[in-house]
């Protein structure tokens, strides 16, 4: 649940959200077969607030609408994630995350992921400027992925560089003076394989993204929520290991909302290429 876009948060006690996937099924009868749309619950969450900040939360994900797949419990400290535990449908712990908070900022985060053949521990550390200084992943096969981060500033903003000590990879993140990501580049074996550019309007909203020259676009309503998006799924899912798609298929997503008197949406519908695809419902309890 994205609580950052909620309005009138000082008066919010709790927010419940339920996510449904829309599927088309065939109803078979004696004389005809009829197509119908079925809204199947896939996700449900609830967040409690205190003085305008999240206090604790719980989310459930489902298979086939009724079978519990996993459960996530989160706790916050002054609105900052303190810890998180994910359980499977039988109550077994799948993963945990513990954040060390100093002066209102996360300085160290440790995530433990359990699987059938071992445990993977990922440690991330940050400095007082919220810069990532360490990303170390050690899995059950003792294979380590150690990422080293460096930072520099110029007249335009800030540049973050990440190097993988195990693989010969480098990632560069360029931010403007407002702290917005404007360029992202990936190098493998010294060769540039991906350049992603981000563009914003005067309100600070991202209006377009260019991935190796392929442009994606976004439009918003008066509340700052997306109502239209042109994007390329193959580019979003491409991780650089395979050949870059030269003719990606374009997808159009359209979003509609129902708002309450405080400007928070209570109903969200997603249409992908004109087809009804997803429904989200919210219940917001105010003081």
């Amino acid at each position: 649940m994205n609580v950052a876009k909620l309005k009138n948060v000082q008066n919010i006690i709790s927010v419940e959200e339920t996510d449904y996937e829309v599927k088309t099924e065939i109803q078979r009868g004696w004389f005809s077969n009829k197509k119908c749309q079925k809204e199947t619950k896939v996700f449900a969450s609830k967040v409690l607030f205190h003085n305008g900040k999240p206090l604790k939360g719980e989310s459930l994900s489902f298979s086939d609408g009724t079978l519990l797949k996993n459960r996530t419990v989160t706790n916050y400290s002054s609105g900052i994630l303190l810890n998180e535990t994910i359980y499977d449908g039988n109550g077994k712990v799948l993963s945990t995350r513990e954040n060390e908070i100093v002066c209102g900022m996360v300085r160290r985060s440790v995530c433990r992921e359990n699987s059938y053949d071992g445990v993977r521990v990922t440690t991330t550390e940050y400095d007082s400027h919220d810069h990532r200084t360490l990303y170390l992943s050690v899995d059950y096969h003792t294979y380590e992925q150690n990422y080293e981060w460096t930072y520099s500033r110029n007249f335009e903003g800030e540049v973050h560089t990440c190097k993988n000590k195990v693989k010969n990879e480098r990632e560069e993140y360029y931010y403007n003076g407002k702290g917005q990501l404007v360029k992202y580049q990936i190098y493998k074996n010294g060769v540039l394989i991906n350049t992603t550019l981000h563009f914003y309007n005067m309100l600070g909203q991202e209006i377009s993204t260019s991935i190796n020259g392929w442009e994606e676009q976004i439009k918003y309503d008066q509340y700052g929520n997306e109502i239209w998006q042109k994007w390329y799924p193959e580019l979003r899912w491409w991780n650089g290991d395979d050949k870059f798609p030269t003719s990606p298929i374009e997808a159009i997503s359209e979003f509609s909302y129902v708002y309450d008197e405080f400007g928070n949406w209570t109903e969200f519908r997603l249409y992908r290429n004109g087809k009804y695809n997803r429904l989200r419902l919210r219940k917001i309890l105010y003081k």
Side-chain angles (χ1 to χ4, degrees):
M1 181 188 302
N2 186 356
V3 300
K5 290 188 176 182
L6 288 170
K7 305 180 186 304
N8 198 44
V9 290
Q10 291 294 334
N11 292 318
I12 292 179
I13 298 175
S14 65
V15 180
E16 295 183 54
E17 190 172 308
T18 307
D19 193 357
Y20 298 88
E21 182 181 6
V22 179
K23 297 181 179 181
T24 301
E25 296 185 347
I26 303 294
Q27 286 185 337
R28 304 188 182 280
W30 286 101
F31 301 102
S32 65
N33 296 330
K34 181 181 178 181
K35 288 186 177 181
C36 67
Q37 290 181 329
K38 182 179 179 181
E39 295 165 347
T40 304
K41 182 166 61 177
V42 294
F43 193 79
S45 63
K46 182 175 182 178
V47 178
L48 300 179
F49 285 77
H50 179 67
N51 292 332
K53 297 180 180 179
L55 178 64
K56 60 176 59 178
E58 181 177 6
S59 60
L60 308 172
S61 64
F62 301 90
S63 297
D64 300 324
T66 56
L67 182 64
L68 181 63
K69 185 177 180 181
N70 58 55
R71 170 174 169 260
T72 303
V73 178
T74 55
N75 292 289
Y76 299 83
S77 175
S78 299
I80 303 174
L81 180 66
L82 182 63
N83 54 61
E84 177 183 81
T85 304
I86 301 178
Y87 306 86
D88 68 11
N90 297 316
K92 180 182 177 181
V93 175
L94 296 177
S95 69
T96 61
R97 181 183 298 276
E98 299 283 343
N99 287 340
E100 180 182 336
I101 303 174
V102 179
C103 298
M105 299 176 63
V106 176
R107 293 292 181 85
R108 181 181 174 90
S109 181
V110 179
C111 180
R112 298 176 60 90
E113 299 176 76
N114 301 317
S115 70
Y116 63 92
D117 60 353
V119 179
R120 171 179 294 165
V121 180
T122 302
T123 303
T124 310
E125 295 182 354
Y126 305 84
D127 63 15
S128 59
H129 299 287
D130 202 25
H131 288 162
R132 190 182 315 197
T133 57
L134 172 70
Y135 181 91
L136 176 62
S137 178
V138 183
D139 67 14
Y140 31 82
H141 299 302
T142 67
Y143 173 72
E144 297 184 1
Q145 292 185 352
N146 194 338
Y147 298 83
E148 181 181 63
W149 292 80
T150 57
Y151 303 89
S152 61
R153 292 192 62 86
N154 55 38
F155 69 95
E156 294 180 338
E158 200 166 58
V159 181
H160 300 185
T161 302
C162 170
K163 294 182 180 179
N164 189 326
K165 292 183 178 180
V166 178
K167 301 178 181 179
N168 190 9
E169 297 178 355
R170 184 172 87 253
E171 299 178 12
E172 294 181 350
Y173 301 80
Y174 295 79
Y175 295 85
N176 61 21
K178 297 179 180 179
Q180 298 167 320
L181 179 65
V182 294
K183 183 167 67 173
Y184 166 65
Q185 293 183 316
I186 302 177
Y187 294 82
K188 286 195 174 184
N189 298 318
V191 179
L192 177 63
I193 63 170
N194 182 20
T195 297
T196 300
L197 304 176
H198 301 270
F199 302 91
Y200 305 86
N201 60 19
M202 295 298 293
L203 298 176
Q205 299 167 329
E206 185 175 359
I207 56 175
S208 67
T209 302
S210 173
I211 305 176
N212 281 359
W214 290 89
E215 184 183 15
E216 301 182 336
Q217 298 176 344
I218 305 174
K219 297 179 182 179
Y220 302 85
D221 64 11
Q222 69 272 28
Y223 296 100
N225 291 312
E226 296 182 16
I227 57 174
W228 184 90
Q229 182 182 20
K230 180 188 77 173
W231 60 297
Y232 299 93
E234 293 174 81
L235 304 188
R236 288 294 177 179
W237 300 331
W238 178 67
N239 60 10
D241 292 333
D242 301 320
K243 187 177 180 181
F244 184 82
T246 55
S247 300
I249 298 176
E250 176 184 291
I252 300 295
S253 295
E254 297 174 279
F255 315 92
S256 67
Y257 305 86
V258 175
Y259 291 94
D260 64 14
E261 59 183 311
F262 301 106
N264 292 314
W265 64 260
T266 57
E267 180 179 304
F268 161 91
R269 292 176 185 266
L270 165 64
Y271 300 83
R272 183 161 295 168
N273 293 330
K275 184 179 179 181
Y276 181 31
N277 183 262
R278 190 164 295 274
L279 169 68
R280 290 177 185 164
L281 300 177
R282 267 186 187 170
K283 293 182 180 180
I284 304 178
L285 180 62
Y286 296 92
K287 294 180 181 178

